[in-house]
Amino acid sequence: MTKIIDGKATSAAIKAEIARETAGIVAAGHAAPHLVAILVGHDGGSETYVANKVKACEVCGFRSTLIRMEDSVSQEELLAEVSRLNADDSVDGFIVQLPLPRHINEQAVVEAIDPSKDVDGFHPVNVGRQAIGLPCFHSATPMGIVELLKRNGIETSGKHVVIVGRSNIVGKPLAAMMMQKAEGANATVTVCHSATPNIAQITRTADILVAALGRPGFITADMVADGAVIVDVGTTRVPDSTRPKGFRLSGDVDFETVAPKCSAITPVPGGVGPMTIVSLMINTLAAAKRRRGI
Ligand code: NAP
């Protein structure tokens, strides 16, 4: 029988562990970990992600602050806010919710964040440290995937992990993590992208197949080996008039046909998404502990 890998339950268990540890930190007289999120504009997806992050902070016992800026904010104003947060001792970690409006250079903003407060793990210092297996803030989605597999008893050592998608926030950092000589990793990794010919031939050789391309239903049953483990990162909003919000979230895997063929699969929603948010909580707790010398 196919196992449905429950990201919601796994993330709830991790949040409970974090909340317990946070209560101990506060009881010892320290300030609660403090996460700040900067949200520019009013994009529906970004609003939801940030609201969920704030909610997760509450569950974990963290302090959270949401800083809203209008779409019209200049790059200089945003960079000034980043500098202020870098210097603010009460802030353990902060994120700038992406994407940013077109007139702002995202990379310049990411690189302005102090790497020791970069709990999204996007700064090149953290990305570079991750690549060579040094302690760092891992980027949230790949970190969540690694943790999800580990906690659900899915062996990665010696397995062939095929990742479809090479973005800087999912595909590339996940490949770097999965190839480390470390627990929850130690895999042989292949990364496919839009210039890869015969993707199906490659995906059929995967013990663990990660779909992270943002193309609903791209991975079909003929692209998957019997018994493979499938991780669906895709979250595309597809118009659906039967839903209260007028859309549903669609993964990159054709769940109906693929699920019966594989040994385990993550659903969308309720798979990778909740793990991404909990990774941010893990990074924030780590930042807070380091800053308090715990
Ligand atoms: P992205 O930056 O758009 O990158 C997509 C990647 O997929 C690119 O490397 C692209 O190749 C590749 N690709 C696109 N079409 C392809 C095709 N037909 N065949 C092979 N490769 C193809 O996307 P992303 O930010 O990584 O996000 C991917 C998906 O994951 C989206 O649905 C996003 O919403 C979702 N996501 C979910 C979470 C979560 O927490 N659940 C977190 C992050 C992202 P090229 O490089 O050649 O262009």
Side-chain angles (χ1 to χ4, degrees):
M1 239 213 8
T2 305
K3 176 184 165 81
I4 307 295
I5 303 174
D6 188 342
K8 236 173 155 178
T10 307
S11 69
I14 298 171
K15 278 186 279 192
E17 291 168 16
I18 295 174
R20 273 196 295 278
E21 192 171 350
T22 301
I25 289 171
V26 171
H30 299 285
H34 183 198
L35 175 69
V36 176
I38 300 180
L39 175 58
V40 178
H42 301 275
D43 172 75
S46 295
E47 291 270 1
T48 306
Y49 294 137
V50 169
N52 288 338
K53 289 168 187 176
V54 169
K55 225 182 281 167
C57 282
E58 278 167 29
V59 174
C60 292
F62 295 178
R63 177 181 165 200
S64 68
T65 303
L66 171 58
I67 297 173
R68 285 181 172 274
M69 295 180 133
E70 287 304 319
D71 275 322
S72 55
V73 68
S74 69
Q75 181 162 321
E76 289 63 37
E77 286 168 309
L78 181 53
L79 287 174
E81 193 57 33
V82 168
S83 300
R84 193 187 69 71
L85 294 172
N86 282 341
D88 186 339
D89 253 356
S90 77
V91 175
D92 293 305
F94 65 99
I95 61 159
V96 180
Q97 184 65 43
L98 303 180
L100 292 171
R102 284 239 186 106
H103 65 275
I104 296 177
N105 178 343
E106 278 186 4
Q107 194 56 28
V109 174
V110 166
E111 290 189 31
I113 298 172
D114 178 340
S116 74
K117 293 190 176 186
D118 168 41
V119 285
D120 253 343
F122 293 161
H123 191 285
V125 166
N126 282 313
V127 176
R129 290 180 67 89
Q130 165 172 293
I132 57 173
L134 294 175
C136 64
F137 292 125
H138 293 285
S139 83
T141 303
M143 180 178 169
I145 293 169
V146 169
E147 196 62 26
L148 187 62
L149 295 176
K150 226 194 272 182
R151 290 198 179 227
N152 284 276
I154 291 167
E155 182 58 77
T156 53
S157 182
K159 303 295 181 191
H160 185 203
V161 174
V162 175
I163 303 166
V164 186
R166 60 173 163 187
S167 72
N168 288 347
I169 62 164
V170 187
K172 279 182 199 151
L174 180 62
M177 282 183 87
M178 280 290 181
M179 74 172 74
Q180 298 299 324
K181 197 165 187 170
E183 197 208 337
N186 214 21
T188 305
V189 182
T190 303
V191 180
C192 302
H193 45 75
S194 65
T196 306
N198 306 322
I199 286 190
Q201 262 177 34
I202 300 169
T203 56
R204 276 196 291 270
T205 66
D207 300 305
I208 300 171
L209 175 60
V210 182
L213 64 164
R215 301 273 181 275
F218 182 88
I219 302 292
T220 46
D222 58 308
M223 298 172 78
V224 173
D226 285 337
V229 172
I230 311 293
V231 177
D232 191 352
V233 185
T235 47
T236 305
R237 286 182 168 199
V238 176
D240 184 343
S241 58
T242 68
R243 302 293 173 100
K245 288 186 176 163
F247 68 85
R248 65 188 148 81
L249 282 188
S250 178
D252 289 338
V253 176
D254 181 27
F255 189 91
E256 296 305 320
T257 61
V258 171
K261 241 192 136 176
C262 57
S263 59
I265 185 166
T266 65
V268 176
V272 173
M275 293 302 294
T276 296
I277 292 175
V278 93
S279 301
L280 185 63
M281 301 298 118
I282 294 171
N283 280 345
T284 302
L285 179 62
K289 284 167 71 177
R290 193 190 302 161
R291 289 168 58 77
R292 288 158 187 62
I294 300 170

